Amino acid sequence: EVQLVESGGGLVQPGGSLRLSCAASGFTFSNFEMHWVRQVPGKGLEWVSTIDTIGDPYSPGSVKGRFTISRENAKNSLYLQMNNLRVGDTAVYYCARGMSGSYYYYMDVWGKGTTVTVSS
Amino acid sequence: DIQMTQSPSSVSASVGDRVTITCRASQDISSWLAWYQQKPGKAPKLLIYAESSLQSGVPSRFSGSGSGTDFTLTISSLQPEDFATYYCQQANSFPITFGQGTRLEIK
């Protein structure tokens, strides 16, 4: 069964750091681009980061310089290192798989999400 | 950045109704568009990609159309399990952007 399981969420103070992990199973992880998407409770979806199969990262300006996406293919794992966290980063963070080939911007498998709360 | 605007923000409908949700991109994205369904407390689910391609396992009552800047998601005959929030997403370029969502409620 294709599966993604996020972990590492929790409560952190503003300015603090957190590292999210996503464990993949049921598919050849190294062959797929991977994404992080977040959702503030009651709000819409926001793309956070993408990493391609050769390890090149992409992220929007809102998190660039603070969040770093990485992958460890030998461990079938995706990571999101989040530094200098802000109250506005409070959200559920989802790990998602990009579809194969040129369709990798589309996200066909999602984890259940992990909750990050930034508060003093 | 490409802005995605959905309409309506919410819609009420009954089981068996035909429903159409619209998504407009701020610039031409060809057919690089996806639709997702999300139920409360759950992760989004991919319904349609590349504007009109049905994801495996998704019922055929869901269909997508459009190109360029204007797109629609149509549910031909609403079923009880279809009441959820729907999001469009452009896949033309980074940064990936989503519409604000359309909440489909039971009338």
Side-chain angles (χ1 to χ4, degrees), chain B residues 34-101:
Chain B
W35 290 97
Y36 298 85
Q37 176 193 67
Q38 187 179 33
K39 296 181 179 179
K42 301 294 186 182
K45 173 187 174 183
L46 178 64
L47 299 176
I48 288 170
Y49 64 96
E51 172 246 316
S52 60
S53 296
L54 203 63
Q55 174 66 348
S56 177
V58 174
S60 59
R61 63 181 179 273
F62 291 92
S63 64
S65 64
S67 68
T69 60
D70 294 311
F71 302 87
T72 58
L73 171 69
T74 300
I75 309 172
S76 60
S77 178
L78 275 173
Q79 299 301 301
E81 60 269 28
D82 299 337
F83 292 95
T85 299
Y86 293 84
Y87 294 93
C88 62
Q89 175 226 329
Q90 65 84 12
N92 181 76
S93 60
F94 289 120
I96 294 170
T97 47
F98 293 87
Q100 81 278 15

Side-chain angles (χ1 to χ4, degrees), chain A residues 4-5 7 31 37 41 44-45 57 63 79 91 94 97 113-114:
Chain A
L4 298 171
V5 179
S7 61
N31 288 352
V37 174
L45 302 170
V63 305
Y79 306 102
Y94 295 102
R97 186 182 80 171
T114 188

Side-chain angles (χ1 to χ4, degrees), chain A residues 39 47 94 105-107 110-111, chain B residues 32-33 36 38 43 50 87 89:
Chain A
Q39 185 172 37
W47 171 67
Y94 295 102
Y105 287 77
Y106 302 119
M107 304 169 200
W110 294 66
Chain B
W32 293 101
L33 186 98
Y36 298 85
Q38 187 179 33
Y87 294 93
Q89 175 226 329

